[in-house]
């Protein structure tokens, strides 16, 4: 009985510490429109890892990129979008495995904010003994997912995956020649890259 109680207590401690570490590693991202074509971006509850802040247009071109220090207490920046062409843009804040996205529109003399969406980055693992790459991805928005393999700029493999909530896929690369490859998980307008070297 004492052993069972110790095991249950240990599991509860692990669950609590896991929740606390997850909560402390999740930044709070807020973007608010200001007068004219301005908006303020504020990030609090900063994690211990650095943050990447990116603004892209809908063709995927990076308009703005910044990286914060891992020991930063917070981030606040006022953006002037008056030089941006009218259109729809994506604000992407990336923290290790967590990605927060917010769509916004620059039109006329105002900035309109869309919905915010949080995603986890996929987990990639490659076993160089059996040459199998494994991909796991939590598909919160339920978007279509594709798995691609590139050799240089040449697409050599493309497969549509199940768009269920939990995507798990194994890919055998044993028939590929020695060299460098990029494994790409594409979902919605996002692409996650994983380099693989086959010897």
């Amino acid at each position: 009985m004492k052993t069972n109680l110790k095991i249950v207590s240990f599991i509860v401690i692990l669950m609590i510490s896991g929740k606390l570490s997850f909560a402390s590693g999740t930044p709070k991202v807020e973007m608010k429109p200001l007068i004219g074509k301005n908006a303020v971006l504020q990030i609090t509850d900063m994690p211990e890892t650095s943050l990447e802040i990116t603004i892209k247009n809908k063709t995927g071109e990076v308009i703005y990129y910044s990286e914060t220090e891992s020991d930063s207490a917070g981030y606040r920046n006022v953006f002037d979008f008056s030089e941006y062409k009218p259109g729809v843009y994506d604000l992407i804040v990336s923290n290790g495995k967590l990605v927060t996205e917010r769509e916004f529109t620059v039109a006329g003399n105002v900035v309109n904010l869309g919905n915010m969406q949080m995603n986890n980055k996929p987990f990639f693992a490659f076993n160089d003994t059996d040459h199998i790459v494994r991909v796991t991805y939590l598909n919160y928005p339920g978007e279509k997912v594709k798995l691609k393999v590139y050799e240089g700029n040449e697409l050599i493999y493309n497969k549509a995956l199940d768009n269920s909530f939990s995507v798990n896929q194994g890919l055998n690369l044993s028939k590929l020649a020695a060299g460098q490859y990029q494994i790409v998980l594409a979902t919605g307008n996002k692409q996650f890259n994983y380099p693989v070297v086959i010897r």
Side-chain angles (χ1 to χ4, degrees):
M1 184 68 175
K2 284 185 178 180
T3 304
N4 288 344
L5 185 59
K6 285 181 182 177
I7 291 171
V8 170
S9 300
F10 182 68
I11 291 171
V12 169
I13 289 169
L14 284 177
M15 288 172 64
I16 291 171
S17 64
K19 284 181 183 176
L20 290 175
S21 65
F22 179 75
S24 66
T26 305
K28 184 178 179 184
V29 179
E30 291 182 289
M31 188 177 187
K32 295 178 183 175
L34 299 174
I35 296 171
K37 290 187 176 180
N38 295 320
V40 62
L41 173 63
Q42 186 165 339
I43 304 172
T44 54
D45 299 336
M46 295 283 281
E48 293 180 1
T49 59
S50 61
L51 288 178
E52 293 180 358
I53 301 159
T54 309
I55 295 176
K56 293 182 179 181
N57 62 20
K58 285 302 179 180
T59 63
E61 179 186 1
V62 175
I63 309 297
Y64 173 85
Y65 177 83
S66 176
E67 190 170 338
T68 67
E69 298 296 326
S70 58
D71 57 354
S72 175
Y75 176 90
R76 187 177 192 280
N77 191 24
V78 175
F79 288 92
D80 177 6
F81 295 117
S82 60
E83 298 295 319
Y84 282 49
K85 294 178 182 176
V88 182
Y89 296 85
D90 290 310
L91 166 73
I92 303 160
V93 178
S94 178
N95 156 37
K97 294 290 178 189
L98 189 68
V99 179
T100 304
E101 293 187 38
R102 183 154 210 172
E103 190 175 81
F104 65 95
T105 304
V106 176
N109 290 320
V110 294
V111 175
N112 295 309
L113 302 180
N115 294 329
M116 189 158 44
Q117 184 180 77
M118 292 178 73
N119 289 309
N120 279 318
K121 288 184 179 178
F123 173 77
F124 292 94
F126 178 62
N127 184 330
D128 58 2
T129 304
D130 60 11
H131 295 97
I132 293 178
V133 64
R134 289 174 176 81
V135 184
T136 302
Y137 176 64
L138 293 179
N139 187 12
Y140 290 111
E143 296 175 315
K144 293 181 180 177
V145 181
K146 289 185 178 179
L147 186 62
K148 304 177 181 183
V149 180
Y150 288 90
E151 183 177 13
N153 291 327
E154 184 184 351
L155 177 66
I156 60 172
Y157 179 83
N158 186 9
K159 179 182 179 184
L161 303 181
D162 185 8
N163 63 344
S164 62
F165 174 73
S166 179
V167 176
N168 296 292
Q169 185 71 32
L171 186 59
N172 189 337
L173 306 179
S174 61
K175 294 188 177 176
L176 294 179
Q180 296 183 350
Y181 299 88
Q182 284 287 333
I183 312 301
V184 176
L185 185 82
T187 173
N189 62 352
K190 299 175 291 295
Q191 288 198 356
F192 302 98
N193 299 324
Y194 181 71
V196 167
V197 176
I198 296 180
R199 305 186 193 290

